[in-house]
Amino acid sequence: MLLLHLEGVDEEAFARQLLPLLKDHRIVRRNETFDPGEVRYLAVWKPLPDAFAGLDNLKVILSLGAGVDALLSHPSLPRDVPIVRFVDEELTQCMSDYVLCNALMHLRAQSRYQKDQQNRNWSQFYPPPAWEISVGVMGLGVLGSDAVERLVAAGFSVRGWSRSPKKLKGAEIFSGADQFGPFLSGTDILVNLLPMTPQTRGILNYDLFRQLRRDRLKGGPAIINAARGGHQVEADIVRALEDGTLGAASLDVFNQEPLPASSPLWDAPNCYITPHIAAISNPNSGAAHFARVIKDFEAGRPLPHLVDPDRGY
Ligand code: NDP
Ligand code: OXD
């Protein structure tokens, strides 16, 4: 039996898509009557406090999110059940589209021209070619490494930073805490695609902003955060945008979502806010993913994209 616990997502659409793919399985939703002891698979998005209640025979947890921070911090998460996270071509494409769009916007001095237009001011300033601007990507997993590839193809100078060393074509790679400073000091546009872990919480703070390169991008360095709101210290972003430590910020994620109307981020200068839409897990690909994982598991094949709870992602 597969239980859908897709809080905030169209569960009915998922059930409809899954039915023909998993004909031999009973698919249940939380509001139906079923014996929780019979549930073998849990497909989950934003787990509620009772997400695991009575699920004593669970074999696999299928996360609809690429990020599993909410699952791993759940107090009732069964520790011995494997978690498979969502990895999907469309999700990856959309995330890289978001990163590229915002990096190009900062390269092409969009904040400046937007203000000039509002003031009916004709002032010619020629943005530099992409290769003069260095985009630094934090997190070089599924999403970060694709973003690097797309930024390299767009002509930027690209650098990346991750926990372990890597090789990515056309990019300079840094790893570990020792190389974080040198990574930041050559970065004009900083992209965050890290998972949310105790080590990465609050990483986007004022002290970090001061370490970014200041002399290339007119108006100051920019940040792009499409990972998790918990990565950013929002008061520090407002302060940095106001005092010019940062020239611009593109934010797709927030500490509290929806972003409260009272947040000073809404009015911060050159702050580009989107409502957690950089990349979405859609019912078509999500259902295909869940069905594939279950079928592979039942055929004795290894589970893909396994989360390591000790590592935190
Ligand atoms: P992956 O797990 O594939 O990659 C994580 C990367 O971060 C790895 O390169 C890893 O290093 C690196 N990393 C982890 N911890 C550290 C650390 N302490 N220091 C340096 N590097 C570290 O994740 P994905 O690329 O699939 O996704 C990244 C995040 O994007 C998700 O966790 C999720 O929060 C967010 N997301 C946001 C969406 C949105 O719509 N805004 C949509 C989808 C995802 P190493 O390679 O050495 O292991
Ligand atoms: C995810 C997200 O983690 O959409 O997949 O944020």
Side-chain angles (χ1 to χ4, degrees):
M1 186 187 293
L2 165 65
L3 170 62
L4 302 182
H5 181 114
L6 305 173
E7 187 63 21
V9 176
D10 188 348
E11 271 182 0
E12 215 171 298
F14 265 94
R16 259 199 320 273
Q17 302 277 354
L18 274 165
L19 272 171
L21 302 176
L22 289 173
K23 288 199 184 89
D24 302 340
H25 294 72
R26 185 172 167 213
I27 299 167
V28 291
R29 295 165 57 194
R30 280 170 302 144
N31 56 4
E32 291 172 34
T33 308
F34 61 92
D35 174 1
E38 283 182 23
V39 172
R40 299 287 178 272
Y41 307 102
L42 173 68
V44 64
W45 172 245
K46 296 191 178 160
L48 291 173
D50 66 349
F52 304 101
L55 306 185
D56 299 330
N57 294 306
L58 209 50
K59 296 282 179 257
V60 185
I61 297 170
L62 301 126
S63 167
L64 182 59
V68 288
D69 41 298
L71 266 177
L72 291 182
S73 61
H74 196 290
S76 313
L77 177 75
R79 295 291 150 187
D80 51 350
V81 179
I83 304 172
V84 174
R85 70 191 192 93
F86 190 53
V87 171
D88 174 61
E89 197 183 347
E90 182 177 322
L91 183 97
T92 304
Q93 171 75 32
C94 289
M95 180 57 84
S96 292
D97 293 347
Y98 170 86
V99 169
L100 196 57
C101 164
N102 282 276
L104 284 167
M105 187 174 80
H106 299 313
L107 165 74
R108 298 297 305 184
Q110 179 62 19
S111 304
R112 175 192 179 113
Y113 292 117
Q114 207 163 303
K115 268 186 221 108
D116 281 351
Q117 182 172 347
Q118 275 155 8
N119 296 325
R120 299 173 181 241
N121 180 27
W122 182 273
S123 159
Q124 284 183 322
F125 157 79
Y126 293 98
W131 64 69
E132 280 187 16
I133 296 302
S134 162
V135 184
V137 179
M138 301 198 292
L140 301 174
V142 175
L143 302 179
S145 54
D146 190 73
V148 163
E149 195 181 319
R150 299 272 302 279
L151 290 160
V152 168
F156 283 102
S157 293
V158 184
R159 45 180 49 207
W161 178 71
S162 59
R163 225 164 52 113
S164 54
K166 314 226 148 3
K167 278 203 167 77
L168 291 176
K169 203 162 164 234
E172 189 181 356
I173 301 303
F174 300 75
S175 61
D178 292 353
Q179 294 179 14
F180 194 40
F183 162 76
L184 293 174
S185 63
T187 292
D188 304 304
I189 300 174
L190 181 69
V191 176
N192 177 35
L193 286 171
L194 288 166
M196 182 70 221
T197 68
Q199 291 74 37
T200 63
R201 178 174 290 282
I203 194 166
L204 293 170
N205 58 46
Y206 197 79
D207 179 49
L208 176 150
F209 305 150
R210 281 202 321 208
Q211 296 180 58
L212 297 170
R213 188 160 68 172
R214 303 209 53 79
D215 58 354
R216 286 290 172 95
L217 208 55
K218 283 270 181 321
I223 60 162
I224 299 172
N225 184 16
R228 283 290 181 266
H231 287 130
Q232 67 202 17
V233 180
E234 292 174 359
D236 285 9
I237 296 179
V238 174
R239 176 180 164 209
L241 288 170
E242 283 175 349
D243 72 10
T245 300
L246 284 179
S250 299
L251 308 175
D252 185 58
V253 287
F254 302 90
N255 278 284
Q256 189 184 336
E257 295 180 4
L259 182 64
S262 59
S263 168
L265 283 172
W266 291 108
D267 296 319
N270 309 332
C271 190
Y272 296 86
I273 290 175
T274 47
H276 202 143
I277 48 73
I280 185 96
S281 317
N282 79 39
N284 269 337
S285 41
H289 164 80
F290 292 151
R292 200 167 43 242
V293 172
I294 290 172
K295 282 181 180 163
D296 280 356
F297 177 72
E298 291 183 346
R301 287 189 279 273
L303 289 168
H305 314 303
L306 273 176
V307 172
D308 177 346
D310 294 329
R311 216 175 44 165
Y313 63 98

